[in-house]
């Protein structure tokens, strides 16, 4: 049925082949029933005149197929509200079907761990009976949704790994911005959620993205009992014939069918309270798969609400609380390492060993801080319907994380006393989320930021981000008090970087391009005898695309930047052989001197992001930090996924 790529001369993606490896990862979802039923077709084999987008933009909304990725499709609606974001994710100028130069290749960009990552695919799509079986566009000849979904599946490792996830994660991946999620139920300690609607101005409602989810099964909405996510398309303030103000919300179901039996469904009692002309106009604007609810019904029936911050064309976030542009942005990476910087929550005496950061606020203003743990890209693909989501269940992939902030005098404060005091702002609880967000109004001065996991010794890498209306400066506290390890105190430093194909991906010492690898300086000033340096290299790649990694440490002769590493230069320490693992490390003793570390993949031109963590012993007496809290800090978690 399918024309061969060789005859067409069209691009065939060698890294995401059209077979079961692209569809499945572990065969643990209902998708496994499709084995042997799927054929892969290019758009021009599916319809006569394929296009990316329909002429009528209202027909461009995503429509869910048999894959449980409503969380991604709800986030895709955000791109239809912002041409800037759409062009960022799907760069313009790509050659389409019927155009000269068409090769069957498309490329997308997704924001990942602080950087935009390019993903290239061919346009062969999984089909059943000559029709795309996964997500597609409301317009059957438009293919932007199906192609974006394929690129996102490639980034995760397979389509199956898109089964169930969080809308807030997809919103961040498609925008590089920030999203917040609250529970609308009084039983959960999220007071902001109860007063969220009055705080969203009309302008914010227009440009932000809002999604909602129902956990329980209301009458007549069977798919919503499966953590199904839906999109809030429109907000409308209307007056009843009695003069009362009513706020209506238009909701869209990615399944493409209406699934609500409230007062504002077509023919419902709510419409009789409005002027017939107003009712007819609102109902006439309702597309397939959409329905209306009022604010009171929404808050009663829905469980979760997710809000994505608007992003201006100048790359600035707009506060959903005040509407102000957060024009000052900075980010920095870090790590929790067992035995060094994984101190756990405030219930542990080792809390002070967690990574610490300075935040300098120049004039005072509105500040948004977010802590994002890297984690596996496919965070929820093993979550099955029916599994417990109670407050004690540990997330199978992410750590429970939190961020606490104290105002201090720079370098002139008692660490123990400060950490035992009440933070000026925090994420309140440790939660099994990829990202936690703290919103605050901070006065001018210095602040101590401490990201932590709930469990002591829990390892991971994270990204700390700051968005503010005022000038801020974020930096790591260079001397971090660590747990004792053979006596003394350790200084911890984390450096994030990447191997770039054709530039800094030089490969191992077996290749002449080895010297092109990133150069990370290392200064050793203290040698008490025994191990005084520990280096850990972690690559941030999905499990099925890991490269063989390792590193070499060279003694510096002259300027680090000008130092040429050739096959004639021998390292003083090596972490070899290169291993196909997320993380490799070495402990060693180095005499006081200047060194340079070259992290590398074994083969040249293997692109990936990495974090290099360096621990050095320093000649200072370790500080003892024992907390005496009046009561245990209440740590709760809440996990919900939207997929079916």
């Amino acid at each position: 049925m399918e024309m061969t790529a060789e005859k067409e001369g069209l691009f065939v993606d060698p890294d995401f082949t059209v077979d079961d490896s692209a569809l499945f990862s572990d065969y643990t979802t209902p998708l496994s029933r499709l084995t042997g039923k799927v054929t892969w077709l290019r758009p021009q084999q599916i319809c006569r005149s394929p296009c990316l987008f329909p002429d009528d933009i209202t027909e461009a909304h995503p429509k869910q197929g048999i894959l449980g990725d409503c969380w991604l499709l709800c986030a895709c609606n955000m791109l239809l509200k912002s041409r800037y974001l759409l062009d960022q994710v799907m760069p313009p100028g790509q050659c389409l079907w019927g155009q000269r130069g068409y090769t069957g290749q498309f490329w997308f960009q997704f924001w990942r761990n602080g950087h935009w990552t390019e993903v290239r695919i061919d346009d062969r799509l999984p089909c059943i009976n000559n029709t795309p079986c996964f997500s597609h566009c409301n317009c059957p000849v438009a293919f932007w949704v199906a192609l974006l979904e394929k690129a996102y599946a490639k980034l995760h490792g397979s389509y199956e790994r898109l089964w169930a996830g969080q809308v807030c994660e997809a919103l961040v991946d498609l925008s590089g911005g920030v999203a917040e999620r609250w529970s609308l139920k009084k039983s959960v300690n999220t007071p902001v959620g109860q007063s969220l609607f009055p705080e969203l101005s009309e302008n914010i409602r227009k440009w932000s993205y809002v999604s909602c989810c129902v956990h329980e099964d209301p009458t007549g909405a069977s798919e919503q009992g499966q953590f199904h996510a839906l999109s809030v398309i429109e907000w409308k303030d209307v007056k009843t014939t009695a003069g009362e103000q009513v706020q209506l919300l238009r909701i869209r179901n990615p399944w493409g069918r209406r699934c609500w039996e409230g007062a504002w469904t077509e023919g419902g009692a709510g419409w009789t309270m409005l002027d017939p002309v107003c009712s007819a106009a609102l109902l006439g604007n309702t597309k397939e798969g959409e329905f209306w609810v009022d604010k009171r019904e929404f808050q009663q029936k829905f469980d979760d609400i997710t809000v994505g911050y608007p992003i201006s064309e100048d790359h600035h976030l707009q506060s959903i609380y005040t509407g102000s542009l957060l024009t000052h942005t900075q980010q920095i990476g870090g790590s929790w390492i067992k035995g060094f910087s994984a101190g756990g929550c405030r219930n542990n005496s080792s809390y002070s060993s967690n990574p610490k950061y300075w935040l300098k606020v120049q004039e005072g203003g509105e500040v948004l801080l977010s802590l994002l743990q890297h984690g596996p890209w496919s965070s929820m693909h093993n979550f099955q319907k029916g599994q417990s989501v109670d407050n004690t269940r540990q997330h199978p992939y992410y750590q429970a994380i939190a961020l606490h902030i104290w105002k201090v005098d720079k370098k002139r404060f008692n660490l123990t006393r400060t950490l035992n005091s009440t933070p000026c702002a925090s994420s309140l609880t440790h939660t099994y989320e990829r990202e936690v967000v703290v919103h605050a109004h901070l006065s001018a001065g210095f602040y101590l930021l401490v990201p932590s996991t709930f469990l002591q010794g829990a390892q991971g890498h994270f990204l700390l981000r700051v968005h503010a209306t005022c000038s801020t400066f974020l930096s790591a506290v260079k001397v971090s008090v660590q747990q004792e390890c053979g006596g003394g105190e350790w200084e911890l430093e984390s450096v994030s970087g990447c191997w770039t194909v054709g530039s800094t991906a030089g490969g191992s010492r077996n290749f002449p391009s080895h010297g092109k690898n990133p150069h990370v300086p290392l200064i050793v000033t203290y040698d008490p005898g025994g191990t005084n340096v520990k280096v850990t290299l972690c690559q941030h790649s999905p499990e099925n695309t890991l490269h063989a990694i390792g590193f070499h440490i060279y003694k510096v002769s002259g300027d680090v930047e000008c130092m040429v590493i050739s096959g004639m230069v021998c390292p003083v320490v090596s972490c070899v052989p290169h291993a196909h693992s997320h993380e490799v490390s070495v402990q060693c003793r180095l005499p006081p001197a200047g060194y340079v570390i070259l992290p590398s993949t074994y083969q040249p031109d293997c692109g990936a992001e990495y974090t290099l963590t360096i621990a050095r012993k320093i000649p200072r007496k370790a500080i003892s930090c024992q907390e005496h809290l009046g009561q245990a800090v209440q740590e709760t978690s809440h996990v919900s996924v939207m997929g079916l």
Side-chain angles (χ1 to χ4, degrees):
M1 182 185 301
E2 182 177 0
M3 295 179 288
T4 65
E6 289 76 16
K7 284 184 178 180
E8 296 176 327
L10 299 180
F11 173 66
V12 172
D13 187 351
D15 300 319
F16 200 58
T17 54
V18 290
D19 53 29
D20 284 357
S21 67
L23 296 175
F24 312 111
S25 292
D26 48 25
Y27 296 87
T28 58
T29 71
L31 198 64
S32 59
R33 302 169 191 160
L34 292 181
T35 305
K37 298 181 180 179
V38 174
T39 57
W40 297 77
L41 303 176
R42 297 187 188 267
Q44 66 268 40
Q45 298 172 278
I46 298 171
C47 64
R48 181 169 297 178
S49 301
C51 61
L52 268 184
F53 291 93
D55 294 332
D56 183 359
I57 197 64
T58 63
E59 292 297 312
H61 286 289
K63 190 171 183 179
Q64 190 173 352
I66 60 177
L67 180 63
D69 62 348
C70 61
W71 58 285
L72 168 63
L73 303 186
C74 285
C76 284
N77 283 314
M78 171 185 61
L79 302 181
L80 297 178
K81 300 181 73 170
S82 170
R83 185 72 198 191
Y84 155 69
L85 287 180
L86 182 62
D87 289 346
Q88 179 72 59
V89 174
M90 186 183 299
Q94 303 190 47
C95 204
L96 306 180
W97 311 276
Q99 295 179 349
R100 184 177 181 181
Y102 162 72
T103 63
Q105 179 178 206
F106 291 85
W107 62 94
F108 296 81
Q109 295 186 125
F110 301 103
W111 190 87
R112 184 182 183 188
N113 299 335
H115 306 280
W116 286 98
T117 299
E118 184 179 87
V119 178
R120 290 181 178 265
I121 58 169
D122 62 40
D123 60 355
R124 295 177 294 176
L125 300 172
C127 298
I128 295 178
N129 297 327
N130 297 339
T131 301
C133 56
F134 297 150
S135 303
H136 46 281
C137 198
N138 259 6
C139 174
V141 298
F143 288 89
W144 80 276
V145 175
L147 292 172
L148 185 150
E149 182 186 53
K150 181 177 181 179
Y152 203 58
K154 178 181 178 180
L155 188 67
H156 282 69
S158 72
Y159 277 95
E160 187 176 37
R161 287 187 172 173
L162 302 186
W163 193 288
Q166 291 283 9
V167 177
C168 53
E169 294 184 14
L171 286 172
V172 173
D173 296 343
L174 296 180
S175 68
V178 174
E180 293 198 58
R181 180 170 68 93
W182 299 275
S183 170
L184 294 175
K185 299 304 181 185
K186 294 181 180 180
S187 59
V188 179
N189 184 24
T190 51
V192 177
Q194 300 300 321
S195 59
L196 178 65
F197 288 93
E199 296 181 15
L200 289 179
S201 67
E202 184 176 350
N203 185 54
I204 295 299
R205 293 175 193 170
K206 179 179 179 181
W207 296 111
S208 64
Y209 173 74
V210 181
S211 176
C212 51
C213 173
V214 172
H215 298 174
E216 299 174 356
D217 184 5
T219 303
S222 59
E223 60 265 81
Q224 293 173 2
Q226 304 167 3
F227 294 97
H228 188 56
L230 304 95
S231 298
V232 179
I233 301 297
E234 181 183 6
W235 315 64
K236 201 75 175 179
D237 293 316
V238 297
K239 279 190 177 181
T240 66
T241 52
E244 296 180 356
Q245 192 80 16
V246 177
Q247 186 176 98
L248 296 179
L249 297 91
R250 182 158 57 102
I251 313 294
R252 186 177 189 278
N253 177 13
W255 279 110
R257 58 176 180 267
R258 296 176 187 177
C259 56
W260 202 260
E261 293 185 353
W264 298 92
T265 55
E266 191 170 354
W271 300 108
T272 62
M273 297 187 295
L274 304 183
D275 181 276
V277 175
C278 177
S279 297
L282 294 178
L283 286 172
N285 195 36
T286 307
K287 306 296 183 181
E288 181 184 9
E290 298 177 356
F291 58 92
W292 293 88
V293 297
D294 61 41
K295 174 185 169 182
R296 181 185 59 82
E297 183 182 14
F298 181 87
Q299 291 181 303
Q300 287 179 348
K301 299 296 185 181
F302 284 87
D303 293 271
D304 284 350
I305 181 170
T306 298
V307 181
Y309 282 65
I311 301 180
S312 71
E313 293 189 6
D314 295 326
H315 310 274
H316 300 313
L317 293 188
Q318 184 179 14
S319 170
I320 61 174
Y321 298 96
T322 65
S324 301
L325 286 178
L326 307 176
T327 54
H328 298 268
T329 301
Q330 197 174 357
Q331 64 183 35
I332 191 169
S335 305
W336 295 292
I337 300 177
K338 187 176 182 179
F340 290 97
S341 60
C345 69
R346 295 177 67 207
N347 294 340
N348 301 310
S349 60
S350 57
Y351 178 74
S352 61
S353 67
N354 282 302
K356 289 174 281 294
Y357 297 87
W358 290 121
L359 177 65
K360 182 180 180 181
V361 179
Q362 292 288 77
E363 304 132 355
E366 185 177 5
V367 179
L368 186 72
L369 302 109
S370 67
L371 172 64
L372 183 149
Q373 57 179 315
H374 288 188
W377 198 233
S378 52
S379 61
M380 296 298 293
H381 73 276
N382 278 338
F383 189 90
Q384 296 296 300
K385 180 186 175 184
Q387 283 186 310
S388 170
V389 291
D390 61 32
N391 287 349
T392 60
R393 176 184 178 275
Q394 181 173 339
H395 194 293
Y397 288 94
Y398 288 142
Q399 302 292 344
I401 60 173
L403 178 63
H404 293 79
I405 300 103
W406 288 267
K407 188 170 185 179
V408 297
D409 293 326
K410 187 177 183 183
K411 296 182 180 178
R412 294 185 179 181
F413 70 100
N414 182 291
L415 179 63
T416 302
R417 188 180 302 129
T418 297
L419 297 183
N420 280 328
S421 65
T422 303
C424 66
S426 73
S427 55
L428 298 180
T429 61
H430 283 75
T431 56
Y432 291 105
E433 302 281 357
R434 188 176 75 171
E435 186 171 28
V436 295
V437 178
V438 179
H439 174 262
H441 291 270
L442 301 180
S443 59
F446 293 99
Y447 294 83
L448 179 69
L449 278 53
V450 182
S452 63
T453 60
F454 178 64
L455 296 176
Q456 180 184 0
Q459 300 195 114
H461 301 277
F462 60 82
L463 182 72
L464 188 60
R465 295 193 284 167
V466 178
H467 301 271
T469 57
C470 52
S471 178
T472 59
F473 180 72
L474 179 67
S475 61
V477 176
K478 291 187 177 180
V479 177
S480 182
V481 179
Q482 309 298 331
Q483 285 184 290
E484 276 201 13
C485 184
E489 186 179 329
W490 290 82
E491 180 182 64
L492 188 70
E493 178 184 5
S494 290
V495 178
S496 296
C498 62
W499 295 293
T500 303
V501 176
S503 176
T504 60
S508 68
R509 292 186 70 224
N510 294 350
F511 300 92
S513 57
H514 174 66
K516 294 182 178 179
N517 284 296
H519 288 44
V520 180
L522 166 64
I523 305 297
V524 177
T525 58
Y526 181 55
D527 178 17
T531 299
N532 64 340
V533 173
K534 301 179 181 182
V535 180
T536 301
L537 174 64
C538 177
Q539 63 174 312
H540 309 307
S541 301
E543 191 72 38
N544 62 339
T545 61
L546 291 177
H547 301 298
I549 60 171
F551 57 86
H552 299 278
I553 304 176
Y554 298 87
K555 191 172 182 179
V556 173
S557 55
D559 189 348
V560 174
E561 297 297 328
C562 301
M563 184 176 178
V564 178
I565 304 295
S566 66
M568 303 300 293
V569 180
C570 294
V572 295
V573 174
S574 296
C575 184
V576 291
H578 287 65
H580 283 89
S581 62
H582 277 292
E583 190 172 279
V584 295
S585 63
V586 71
Q587 302 181 20
C588 60
R589 178 184 180 183
L590 293 175
Y595 301 87
V596 63
I597 307 172
L598 265 68
S600 67
T601 58
Y602 180 74
Q603 294 285 346
D605 289 332
C606 294
E609 297 175 2
Y610 66 82
T611 298
L612 193 68
T613 304
I614 307 166
R616 291 168 289 190
K617 188 164 284 188
I618 57 177
R620 296 180 183 177
K621 185 178 179 181
I623 299 174
S624 176
C625 180
Q626 178 67 44
E627 294 189 24
H628 301 282
L629 299 179
Q631 62 181 27
V633 179
Q634 297 299 313
E635 309 288 355
T636 63
S637 65
H638 183 75
V639 178
S640 66
V641 291
M642 282 65 77
L644 304 182

